[in-house]
Amino acid sequence: MNQTTVFEGANLIDGNGGAPRMGVTVVVTDGRITEVGDSRSVAIPERATRVDLTDKWLLPGLLNGNVHLTDSVTMMGPGGIEYLARHEHQLEDVIIEAAQVALKQGVTTVFDTHNAVGPVLAARDRIAAGHDVGARIFAAGNIVGFGGPFSADFFAAARQTASPTFVKRINAEWEAGVGHQLALLPVREIRSRVRDYLDRGVDMLKIGVSDHIYATVGLDRSYLTFSEQALRVMVEEARKREIPVLSHTLSVHALQLSVDLDADVLIHATITMRQPIDRVTIDAILAKDLACGVQTVTDKFQNMLDSVKAPLAVYGDAANERLLMEAGANIFLSTDAGCTPSDVLEDLGEPGRDERPWTLGSDHFDWVRGITEKGMSPMTAIVSATANVARAYKKFDELGSIEPGKAADLLVLNADPLDSIDNLRDIHSVYKAGVEIDRGSLPNRPLVTKRS
């Protein structure tokens, strides 16, 4: 028998950017939305479960277009050695925990754009099969052209204290045959390696168009990782599989090249070491309707980074963010957040923890505050955290808005997020595929987030 739930009397923000609709009823059958309409006109099926949402605000479940469920930011510092040594044989469970941390706070789908490919695909499949609860995962695995956690791309200093065997084993887990050594190979071999990598079943291909060695050499330079010929070969292979192509860039030059390549998703679109994005590149982004992952930070956190002269003070770029917003680019929620160890957060102290954009679970709340501080309206920020992400990854037929035929991923709030975007934190309930999430039980097997 069909399982039908009727959500009655809600104030609906459907994710498409139109004005809210009051007194709306949403019918869900077997995990999918079947009807959305005025509560006075929608017929209630017999034996349906009825949920009264009078005075509540109903939104699509949020989507985060750029996370690293095992914490890539932690890997770039001293805490990364302990993090990986402690959980080397539990990476699947760490990823599940992270997906639960996200789901608890209203994020029903995440796009993991850097991780160990085997564990993240296994965790993805466990959640998809219903063996574990958690946010729906789509995964890229490694960033093509990047070394592992203990390479120059993240934390090469680990080699001074960790055993060579451990370093090699961990790096290989992430690199999966498409690490930094790829840049040394002839183009025909690059094609073969990328084909083998795609055979593993990743959901998208993320390419390091520019390097990630800023963790080693600093944030005052950036280099192209591959020739344009090599990049085009990678894009060709992804197109054959009909999966999105993502670019990692840290310079205007690399961003321009990614636009020329027609990359579907521009990760770090505004991080250009404080160089302004030129108008020709912005016009091309708009003409090609490319999606822009923006890693904004709140004014408070930016001021803290500036005051201590932190290397990552160039992470947020308000000027470039405003350029893209004013141009009308497709900006989407993108945080780089991961499941940060509780002891690492403790060591940061209060200034380092407060509104930290890389802490999964609070990251999306800080992102919407940061982007509205730059001038985006609350409604547009909600669209950027729902429909825009789904469109970027070609999932809008399934996710990102409350419409018939789509998965019934629902976020119920106690207060109007258009009055204050901070009301996204005031969660009444979360549903994934029509099933209410027991938020109080998550994460149900804490490893990383467990406090000693």
Side-chain angles (χ1 to χ4, degrees):
M1 294 179 62
N2 291 340
Q3 300 296 313
T4 299
T5 304
V6 179
F7 300 89
E8 300 179 84
N11 302 323
L12 177 67
I13 297 175
D14 65 10
N16 287 316
R21 296 162 59 190
M22 308 303 173
V24 170
T25 288
V26 176
V27 180
V28 172
T29 301
D30 292 342
R32 291 196 172 272
I33 299 166
T34 55
E35 189 171 0
V36 179
D38 187 285
S39 294
R40 294 168 295 182
S41 60
V42 172
I44 306 299
E46 291 185 11
R47 300 178 182 173
T49 300
R50 301 174 72 160
V51 179
D52 183 6
L53 295 185
T54 303
D55 296 329
K56 305 299 181 190
W57 291 81
L58 181 62
L59 284 68
L62 305 184
L63 297 84
N64 194 329
N66 177 35
V67 300
H68 315 302
L69 296 173
T70 48
D71 191 351
S72 295
V73 174
T74 291
M75 291 177 198
M76 291 191 291
I81 300 175
E82 182 180 359
Y83 182 56
L84 292 170
R86 186 187 294 171
H87 302 301
E88 178 186 1
H89 303 296
Q90 301 172 309
L91 291 177
E92 280 184 40
D93 292 328
V94 167
I95 294 166
I96 294 291
E97 177 182 4
Q100 293 178 349
V101 168
L103 181 61
K104 180 176 183 174
Q105 301 302 336
V107 178
T108 52
T109 300
V110 295
F111 294 83
D112 187 308
T113 69
H114 175 245
N115 216 317
V117 62
V120 76
L121 295 185
R124 174 198 69 183
D125 294 345
R126 281 168 54 180
I127 291 174
H131 300 315
D132 292 274
V133 67
R136 187 181 293 102
I137 298 173
F138 296 98
N142 192 31
I143 303 172
V144 175
F146 282 15
F150 300 146
S151 71
D153 290 304
F154 290 93
F155 192 55
R159 296 167 180 255
Q160 299 171 14
T161 53
S163 73
T165 301
F166 177 61
V167 166
K168 182 178 180 180
R169 189 168 66 240
I170 290 294
N171 281 347
E173 184 85 68
W174 262 258
E175 291 170 8
V178 290
H180 57 85
Q181 303 89 346
L182 206 63
L184 303 174
L185 302 178
V187 171
R188 64 180 178 277
E189 180 65 17
I190 291 174
R191 185 187 293 276
S192 177
R193 293 281 191 97
V194 170
R195 282 178 177 169
D196 290 344
Y197 184 72
L198 293 174
D199 283 342
R200 301 189 67 160
V202 294
D203 300 299
M204 56 261 197
L205 185 70
K206 185 178 181 182
I207 303 170
V209 179
S210 59
D211 69 90
H212 201 257
I213 60 173
Y214 68 83
T216 304
V217 302
L219 285 160
D220 60 346
R221 70 201 76 190
S222 181
Y223 304 102
L224 297 181
T225 308
F226 296 103
S227 69
E228 184 173 349
Q229 181 187 11
L231 291 170
R232 291 196 180 280
V233 162
M234 298 178 201
V235 173
E236 285 174 12
E237 293 304 317
R239 296 294 183 223
K240 292 176 185 176
R241 310 294 178 106
E242 298 183 338
I243 61 173
V245 174
L246 287 60
S247 65
H248 163 92
T249 60
L250 292 176
S251 69
V252 175
H253 186 182
L255 181 64
Q256 291 169 337
L257 182 52
S258 301
V259 173
D260 290 343
L261 291 166
D262 295 332
D264 301 290
V265 179
L266 308 172
I267 299 293
H268 304 307
T270 55
I271 302 179
T272 57
M273 309 307 178
R274 296 293 167 86
Q275 299 301 311
I277 304 172
D278 61 289
R279 187 68 221 188
V280 172
T281 299
I282 292 175
D283 287 344
I285 289 171
L286 297 177
K288 296 182 177 187
D289 194 26
L290 306 182
C292 298
V294 169
Q295 280 73 18
T296 196
V297 301
T298 65
D299 292 345
K300 180 178 180 179
F301 195 81
Q302 184 66 57
N303 291 337
M304 185 279 294
L305 292 175
D306 291 338
S307 69
V308 299
K309 296 181 170 57
L312 284 175
V314 299
Y315 179 85
D317 190 323
N320 276 339
E321 290 167 26
R322 290 190 177 101
L323 282 174
L324 288 182
M325 281 191 286
E326 290 166 5
N330 175 6
I331 291 172
F332 66 84
L333 171 63
S334 172
T335 65
D336 273 333
C339 198
T340 307
S342 57
D343 48 359
V344 169
L345 292 174
E346 188 66 28
D347 290 343
L348 290 172
E350 187 62 31
R353 293 193 303 270
D354 193 17
E355 300 184 13
R356 180 177 183 265
W358 309 294
T359 306
L360 198 70
S362 59
D363 57 319
H364 53 296
F365 299 135
D366 294 327
W367 189 92
V368 293
R369 176 187 282 186
I371 205 72
T372 53
E373 288 174 347
K374 310 303 185 302
M376 184 177 282
S377 72
M379 178 61 85
T380 304
I382 290 169
V383 174
S384 295
T386 53
N388 282 3
V389 184
R391 289 193 180 97
Y393 287 96
K394 307 184 188 307
K395 303 294 183 186
F396 191 60
D397 59 337
E398 287 280 320
L399 306 169
S401 65
I402 297 178
E403 298 177 88
K406 295 195 175 184
D409 294 353
L410 309 173
L411 172 60
V412 183
L413 304 177
N414 291 312
D416 183 359
L418 303 182
D419 280 348
S420 170
I421 199 64
D422 287 338
N423 286 337
L424 280 178
R425 297 176 182 265
D426 192 1
I427 296 174
H428 175 271
S429 51
V430 175
Y431 293 80
K432 181 186 169 195
V435 177
E436 184 172 5
I437 302 303
D438 181 4
R439 299 175 63 235
S441 69
L442 300 180
N444 52 37
R445 295 188 301 274
L447 296 167
V448 174
T449 58
K450 184 178 180 180
R451 293 188 177 275
S452 57

